[in-house]
Amino acid sequence: MIIDFASYIIGSPWNLPPALVFYVGAAFLLFSKYLPAPLILIATPTVGLINLITMENSARLNTELLSYSVELIYIDELSFLFGILFHIAALFSAIYALKITDTRQHVSAFIYVGSALGAVFSADLLSLFIFWELLAISSAYLIWVQGTRKANQAALRYLFVHVISGLILLAGAILHIHKTGSIGFIDIDLTGTAKWLILLAFGIKCGFPILHSWLPDSYPQASPTGTVFLSAFTTKVAIYVLARAFVGTEVLIYIGAAMTMFPIFYAVIENDLRRVLAYSMINQLGFMVVGIGLGTAMAMNGAISHAFNDVVFKGLLFMSMGAVLHTTGRINGSDLGGLYRKMPMTTSLCIIGAASISAFPLFSGFVSKSMILTAALDEGYVAIWFLLLFASAGVFHHAGIKIPYFAFFAHDAGLDAKDPSWNMLLAMTFAAVICIVNGCYPYLLYSLLPYPVDYRPYEWSHVVSQLQLLLFSALAFAWLIRSGTYPPELRSVNLDVDWIYRRGIKSFGSNALLVFDRTTRHLMFIFRIVADHRLNPLVHHLKQHGVFARTWSISFTVLCIITLLLAYLVHFFLYT
């Protein structure tokens, strides 16, 4: 209905490539001297959204690349929903960043958004690879912009991991094209090396276990506004391509279940609240991956709707923590507390985000996450259902309670703080309204899903079971806090798999160089002994009056050269 009304008001569809709108917006930001940056920041996602919702359902844009026909616009229900989502995320992220004066940061953010949209609307591996790499390069600047030593190192590690992901994707694409002659990547069946490589490339960006550490390593080092952009696009592009190419792949069920579980324990002991949210993001991605692995209509609807809701409520939580960091200059739980009196609006909006990610009834997470759990139970994956249930309690524990408690309600740190500027509050309010609307009236979101929805989230059994789960999780948190057994907020850096390349490889390299140096010295000592014993006669001839040190005549030298050439010619004709 909304789409039809917009088409009626605006008229004929524009059918512009969605990525192009943001690339043009980035160009205007960079070169225009007459349009103010805030106007471009708001106008670009607005124009892009109007362009998308009025676009014809059969819109296609093909071009030639390396003698292949690449498709830059491919619209169906799945790509359309992710396109709507990315435009909404770009809009509230742009509003949040309105007062940033660094034009390069805005340009990088718009190239990043455009690349995400390009990946969503591409239907072949070649164009996907191009946008895949642009995603990595443009987003790295949002981490570099902080300018600190930690941010620079994190950006380099982030770029390294994502370039590796791109190279793996390229290798898989080349093998896939060589084997099948097709550059399409829709509904890939895992039967060959190429397809496993493609899945691995997607898994790196999605944060699969062991491949995930780039996310909590880099996102907390980005700028407060940059983190909001980062939280919305990279991992959701990975979810989109998994939903496009690997629906019903059973291995994803177990990978996703592991993703929901292990971040809980890291998030509980983490002090940096933005790192807590980064681990929480992996947890939420796990639910989506399980839904894609199940592959049924309900599971896919649950995974896709949860991706939509996750972008909004996770963006809201990152915006609230960014507001705290922007106002106080601190983000560790051990340094915060007592801010609810000084930042009441931020506190209230953060609680809405916390309720949404915790799947409270009447908030957005409830209407999407429950679909995935129901689908797992319907398909007979009882053990997976129990794991997802435990993970749901865990996310309420660390994201629903820990984030607002330690930031706003724990011990009063006596910080001088106030609510952030109007644009930040407006962006957070925009996201909070979506969280509430999707939670109270989910059928608007359900109408955009790729499969018909036959699910009623507000049945008494769903509501009561979820409230019981949340109540007992809250009681567990309260008991741990009151008894003093909850892990304290310590000023420390917790490493998981990233220890391998942040500490392990460095330590191994240092030890390897030490061993190489000592081995070389011993070998040189042995060589000197052998040389003194064996090469003395030769050394005698090389001395000042030795045979080889004498001045030879030109005729003798020419004779030696001719002899060597003759020997070579004889060998050539006899043995070649």
Side-chain angles (χ1 to χ4, degrees):
M1 181 176 66
I2 297 174
I3 298 170
D4 294 337
F5 177 74
S7 300
Y8 174 76
I9 294 296
I10 296 168
S12 60
W14 300 342
N15 288 340
L16 297 174
L20 180 62
V21 177
F22 282 88
Y23 290 156
V24 171
F28 271 110
L29 283 168
L30 196 59
F31 299 112
S32 177
K33 298 180 181 179
Y34 305 103
L35 294 175
L39 176 62
I40 301 174
L41 287 173
I42 300 300
T44 301
T46 304
V47 171
L49 185 59
I50 294 171
N51 170 63
L52 178 61
I53 63 178
T54 59
M55 192 175 290
E56 294 176 343
N57 293 333
S58 59
R60 295 290 187 271
L61 177 61
N62 296 344
T63 187
E64 291 292 324
L65 179 64
L66 301 177
S67 73
Y68 289 99
S69 176
V70 297
E71 201 160 1
L72 299 178
I73 298 180
Y74 176 85
I75 292 186
D76 61 1
E77 291 86 353
L78 183 62
S79 59
F80 180 79
L81 178 60
F82 272 86
I84 293 289
L85 171 62
F86 285 174
H87 281 88
I88 292 174
L91 183 56
F92 68 66
S93 300
I95 295 172
Y96 190 76
L98 273 182
K99 293 196 174 182
I100 299 297
T101 58
D102 184 3
T103 302
R104 293 171 300 176
Q105 188 174 165
H106 296 317
V107 170
S108 178
F110 272 8
I111 295 175
Y112 179 42
V113 177
S115 301
L117 287 167
V120 163
F121 288 99
S122 62
D124 59 86
L125 288 168
L126 292 181
S127 57
L128 177 65
F129 168 73
I130 294 171
F131 292 119
W132 198 261
E133 292 296 80
L134 285 174
L135 268 173
I137 297 169
S138 56
S139 57
Y141 182 78
L142 299 176
I143 306 169
W144 256 311
V145 74
Q146 279 292 79
T148 64
R149 182 172 176 269
K150 286 184 178 180
N152 292 338
Q153 292 176 340
L156 286 173
R157 291 191 294 268
Y158 174 91
L159 191 60
F160 173 78
V161 169
H162 285 272
V163 168
I164 290 295
S165 171
L167 292 176
I168 294 173
L169 176 61
L170 179 61
I174 292 172
L175 290 175
H176 179 71
I177 294 169
H178 177 73
K179 183 177 180 180
T180 65
S182 170
I183 61 175
F185 73 98
I186 297 177
D187 295 330
I188 297 176
D189 182 26
L190 280 178
T191 56
T193 303
K195 294 160 187 178
W196 282 104
L197 288 173
I198 294 171
L199 179 62
L200 178 61
F202 293 171
I204 291 174
K205 262 189 170 55
C206 192
F208 281 5
I210 303 176
L211 309 175
H212 70 278
S213 56
W214 61 268
L215 205 157
D217 175 29
S218 58
Y219 280 19
Q221 300 302 328
S223 65
T225 55
T227 307
V228 179
F229 277 99
L230 290 170
S231 68
F233 298 102
T234 297
T235 53
K236 302 313 176 294
V237 168
I239 290 295
Y240 168 80
V241 292
L242 284 175
R244 177 65 75 193
F246 295 105
V247 176
T249 303
E250 189 176 11
V251 68
L252 293 180
I253 300 174
Y254 306 103
I255 292 174
M259 291 173 66
T260 64
M261 293 296 294
F262 78 85
I264 295 172
F265 304 100
Y266 285 109
V268 167
I269 64 173
E270 185 55 57
N271 189 22
D272 187 324
L273 297 184
R274 292 204 295 176
R275 278 178 67 90
V276 173
L277 289 176
Y279 280 115
S280 175
M281 179 181 292
I282 300 171
N283 167 274
Q284 298 300 298
L285 291 168
F287 283 94
M288 305 169 209
V289 173
V290 169
I292 295 169
L294 290 169
T296 62
M298 181 180 291
M300 289 300 297
N301 283 336
I304 295 163
S305 60
H306 199 56
F308 190 103
N309 289 330
D310 181 72
V311 166
V312 180
F313 61 61
K314 193 58 63 61
L316 175 55
L317 288 169
F318 270 114
M319 284 190 284
S320 61
M321 290 302 100
V324 170
L325 177 61
H326 176 73
T327 302
T328 66
R330 304 182 185 186
I331 198 59
N332 288 342
S334 56
D335 300 331
L336 297 172
L339 296 178
Y340 72 96
R341 296 187 184 94
K342 302 171 183 177
M343 305 178 69
M345 287 291 294
T346 305
T347 304
S348 302
L349 294 166
C350 179
I351 290 174
I352 293 175
S356 299
I357 194 174
S358 303
F360 260 95
L362 301 181
F363 293 91
S364 57
F366 177 78
V367 303
S368 54
K369 187 184 293 183
S370 57
M371 295 175 72
I372 302 172
L373 272 74
T374 302
L377 201 58
D378 289 345
E379 294 302 304
Y381 290 93
V382 179
I384 297 297
W385 179 80
F386 273 111
L387 292 176
L388 297 183
L389 203 64
F390 178 82
S392 297
V395 73
F396 176 55
H397 189 274
H398 67 256
I401 301 178
K402 177 175 179 174
I403 291 291
Y405 176 75
F406 283 106
F408 301 106
F409 297 105
H411 60 279
D412 192 344
L415 298 174
D416 183 19
K418 61 178 181 178
D419 278 318
S421 58
W422 65 268
N423 63 296
M424 289 184 168
L425 290 175
L426 178 61
M428 288 189 281
T429 304
F430 180 26
V433 168
I434 297 176
C435 289
I436 296 172
V437 169
N438 281 348
C440 295
Y441 187 73
Y443 303 102
L444 184 62
L445 174 60
Y446 288 173
S447 67
L448 298 174
L449 294 176
Y451 302 97
V453 179
D454 183 19
Y455 178 74
R456 296 178 180 178
Y458 287 106
E459 293 182 351
W460 278 110
S461 58
H462 295 155
V463 175
V464 172
S465 61
Q466 183 66 12
L467 287 176
Q468 288 176 336
L469 181 72
L470 297 173
L471 174 62
F472 283 107
S473 182
L475 287 175
F477 181 86
W479 179 79
L480 290 171
I481 289 290
R482 296 291 294 176
S483 63
T485 54
Y486 189 86
E489 301 298 295
L490 301 176
R491 293 177 176 85
S492 60
V493 177
N494 300 314
L495 302 180
D496 51 71
V497 179
D498 55 341
W499 179 90
I500 296 174
Y501 56 83
R502 293 182 66 177
R503 300 280 178 82
I505 293 178
K506 183 178 180 180
S507 176
F508 175 79
S510 300
N511 292 330
L513 286 174
L514 182 62
V515 170
F516 177 76
D517 181 62
R518 290 179 178 176
T519 304
T520 304
R521 290 183 181 183
H522 288 357
L523 290 175
M524 289 300 295
F525 178 74
I526 296 172
F527 177 76
R528 289 193 191 100
I529 295 175
V530 173
D532 288 344
H533 180 70
R534 297 289 185 184
L535 301 181
N536 272 336
L538 179 61
V539 171
H540 173 74
H541 291 298
L542 291 173
K543 288 182 179 179
Q544 183 177 1
H545 301 291
V547 175
F548 294 103
R550 297 173 185 170
T551 301
W552 293 354
S553 63
I554 294 177
S555 58
F556 181 74
T557 304
V558 172
L559 178 63
C560 291
I561 293 172
I562 292 174
T563 303
L564 291 173
L565 178 61
L566 179 63
Y568 171 76
L569 292 175
V570 170
H571 177 272
F572 179 81
F573 284 111
L574 289 178
Y575 297 100
T576 302

